[in-house]
Amino acid sequence: MEIAPSDFKKFNDLLKIVKINIEDFDEFLSLNPHIYRSIRGHAFEVWFDREMKERNVAITSVGGDNVVDRVINKKTLQLKTTYIKATIAGKMVGYRMHKTHGAEVKPYCYYKKNEFADFLVGLHPTDGVIICPRQYLPTRGEVSKKLDYPECLADPLPFDWNTKWLNRYDLLGVDIKDYPTIVEHSRSETKYFPKLISKIGFTDFDIIHAIIDEKNFRIWFQLIVGTIREFHFYKFAQTHGINLSQPKKLSTRGNQKVDYVLDSGTRIQVKGLTKGMSSDKILGCETQGSHGRVPNRLYQKTDFDFIAIVIDPNTIHVDTAKKLNIITEDYNFVILPISKLHKHPRSKEWGAEYIKSSFLFKADEVEYNRFELLK
DNA sequence: GGTTATACCATTCATAGTTG
DNA sequence: CAACTATGAATGGTATAACC
């Protein structure tokens, strides 16, 4: 599938914003599972859209935070790729079906049938897609008599490899005889993202469209722009003779809350700025995790030693940059010891020293690019 | 000891709810 | 009623407790 020149330009303009070339970008994506698995999910949507359009099926995309991804003939669809650990070639196919935010404990983390889209459209590894009506999705009770909340949808959600729900386009009221499957693609369709595609499949077209679709803002603004800050921080540290390693030998909590460790053992958490909290003079930074609720979601004072705030190009106002003698067109870095972050007032109530979920600082009252702090 | 079930996780943005 | 706090949101994965 040809990528329209205007779409390719849009994509290249995005790469310029984060100052990375396409080869490095391919490698970067292929090394970050939390990014490429998101791209895999949205690339599946792009793939499914184009297979439907090629067959003259009208399909509409529903953006936003919704259990519905697509609509065909007024039937709502939720698209999912396989959950690899619950998929055994030739035997079964499994999908992850939990809610990934909120309390994240049962029963709230499970779907009830009436909460789900009309149909699950699940990617099958070799034979097309599973199209299963909501009322036939297996429940916890059907998977095992031992499970509580038997009325909730199973997670993982299992299907036989040769399930009767394979390619049931008839249920969507469309006439498709040649069932589309994901297949090996020619080199001309996989030339920009060879490394990423070796991990997730699909094609350059599917990946580029998944990234540039503004409805998938989490891919670009959160996952890519957010994580590429770590990439730039790593590179700048290297040019200052500082070696950063992945946390591996820390406790479970440490491995989760720390982005990099120095050879000395000093732990660093890398953050970007938060758009909605920042203006020309005041910059805002969120310092909390992405899941759960307080206090679980908050960082503790003992979780890391330094916070490194990575400031995107052209964020600092030109006047401020001039005054501070920094180049606003570059990435800039503010490195602070965790002691500078404010203690959460409810720490006593919660029985540990927590830090507040965000903080503000004046752009001209902090020091920039002080990598010597990490030596 | 292998398997399954549960809780918790990455990225930042958006907004509802609460407080002063 | 502005400022701040808490919560939920997409993609789908891992660590470990609990189980047989």
Side-chain angles (χ1 to χ4, degrees):
Chain A
M1 192 84 179
E2 281 301 311
I3 300 163
S6 61
D7 290 332
F8 195 62
K9 180 179 186 312
K10 200 168 163 185
F11 169 69
N12 270 303
D13 289 345
L14 291 178
L15 290 191
K16 280 181 200 149
I17 292 173
V18 293
K19 294 182 181 274
I20 191 167
N21 65 48
I22 196 157
E23 292 80 16
D24 287 348
F25 188 59
D26 177 39
E27 174 164 315
F28 167 79
L29 296 178
S30 73
L31 293 176
N32 280 280
H34 68 284
I35 305 180
Y36 69 63
R37 65 202 196 208
S38 264
I39 294 179
R40 179 169 174 247
H42 287 298
F44 172 44
E45 297 174 350
V46 176
W47 173 85
F48 189 67
D49 284 347
R50 66 181 169 94
E51 296 293 348
M52 292 301 100
K53 283 170 190 163
E54 273 173 28
R55 292 163 178 78
N56 296 315
V57 172
I59 180 167
T60 51
S61 167
V62 179
D65 295 336
N66 199 302
V67 72
V68 173
D69 296 324
R70 295 292 187 274
V71 181
I72 291 179
N73 282 334
K74 296 187 181 167
K75 300 175 201 311
T76 60
L77 316 177
Q78 164 76 222
L79 277 64
K80 285 195 177 288
T81 60
T82 51
Y83 176 42
I84 288 162
K85 282 189 130 178
T87 300
I88 303 164
K91 263 191 107 165
M92 60 182 297
V93 181
Y95 301 95
R96 211 70 164 89
M97 294 294 282
H98 60 160
K99 300 175 190 175
T100 54
H101 290 89
E104 291 196 271
V105 292
K106 60 180 191 178
Y108 311 107
C109 59
Y110 299 124
Y111 283 105
K112 295 198 169 165
K113 283 197 173 179
N114 59 12
E115 288 181 293
F116 205 71
D118 297 337
F119 290 85
L120 168 78
V121 176
L123 179 63
H124 188 285
T126 54
D127 299 346
V129 294
I130 292 172
I131 300 175
C132 181
R134 167 171 71 204
Q135 59 268 36
Y136 294 107
L137 297 174
T139 61
R140 287 167 62 77
E142 287 157 11
V143 165
S144 168
K145 291 214 159 40
K146 280 174 256 170
L147 296 176
D148 51 6
Y149 305 102
E151 73 282 8
C152 293
L153 294 182
D155 173 41
L157 186 87
F159 288 91
D160 288 337
W161 188 265
N162 299 311
T163 173
K164 63 178 175 180
W165 302 112
L166 248 171
N167 299 313
R168 291 298 305 276
Y169 290 98
D170 56 301
L171 300 176
L172 305 180
V174 298
D175 184 27
I176 291 181
K177 297 277 195 298
D178 61 322
Y179 303 136
T181 60
I182 51 165
V183 291
E184 291 290 310
H185 297 286
S186 65
R187 286 190 65 172
S188 67
E189 287 183 301
T190 58
K191 61 183 174 187
Y192 297 121
F193 297 101
K195 291 181 177 170
L196 176 60
I197 289 168
S198 73
K199 300 251 180 183
I200 69 169
F202 299 103
T203 64
D204 294 332
F205 180 95
D206 302 318
I207 290 163
I208 286 179
H209 280 272
I211 291 171
I212 66 175
D213 185 345
E214 280 148 33
K215 287 192 286 306
N216 302 338
F217 73 96
R218 286 193 168 85
I219 288 191
W220 178 254
F221 278 106
Q222 298 186 196
L223 289 165
I224 294 176
V225 176
T227 309
I228 227 160
R229 292 171 182 145
E230 294 180 11
F231 168 86
H232 285 293
F233 178 68
Y234 180 84
K235 282 212 318 198
F236 272 78
Q238 273 201 320
T239 66
H240 288 263
I242 295 165
N243 180 46
L244 300 172
S245 319
Q246 302 291 324
K248 282 276 185 285
K249 293 174 188 157
L250 304 175
S251 66
T252 299
R253 186 176 175 94
N255 285 335
Q256 287 169 345
K257 311 292 181 195
V258 174
D259 291 322
Y260 291 115
V261 289
L262 299 177
D263 296 341
S264 62
T266 299
R267 302 159 301 168
I268 303 169
Q269 166 67 224
V270 180
K271 287 282 173 198
L273 293 176
T274 300
K275 205 166 68 177
M277 294 171 58
S278 300
S279 56
D280 279 352
K281 295 197 167 151
I282 307 282
L283 305 178
C285 180
E286 272 192 62
T287 43
Q288 66 175 344
S290 51
H291 287 256
R293 295 170 171 168
V294 295
N296 228 10
R297 183 166 178 170
L298 302 176
Y299 295 120
Q300 296 182 5
K301 281 241 167 184
T302 51
D303 282 341
F304 45 89
D305 304 297
F306 282 93
I307 179 170
I309 304 164
V310 180
I311 299 174
D312 295 343
N314 305 303
T315 301
I316 308 280
H317 192 273
V318 283
D319 296 340
T320 312
K322 205 168 183 181
K323 187 170 137 194
L324 297 169
N325 201 23
I326 58 177
I327 302 165
T328 185
E329 292 82 4
D330 288 345
Y331 277 89
N332 284 286
F333 307 89
V334 175
I335 297 164
L336 300 171
I338 193 169
S339 58
K340 294 272 188 192
L341 302 179
H342 301 290
K343 183 176 137 185
H344 196 289
R346 293 172 69 186
S347 288
K348 273 229 169 67
E349 170 191 341
W350 293 328
E353 294 267 300
Y354 289 90
I355 60 178
K356 293 176 92 165
S357 59
S358 66
F359 72 104
L360 300 171
F361 59 97
K362 289 189 178 139
D364 59 359
E365 283 189 356
V366 291
E367 294 185 299
Y368 293 82
N369 308 323
R370 295 276 314 275
F371 280 88
E372 61 271 24
L373 286 172
L374 302 178
K375 291 203 166 168

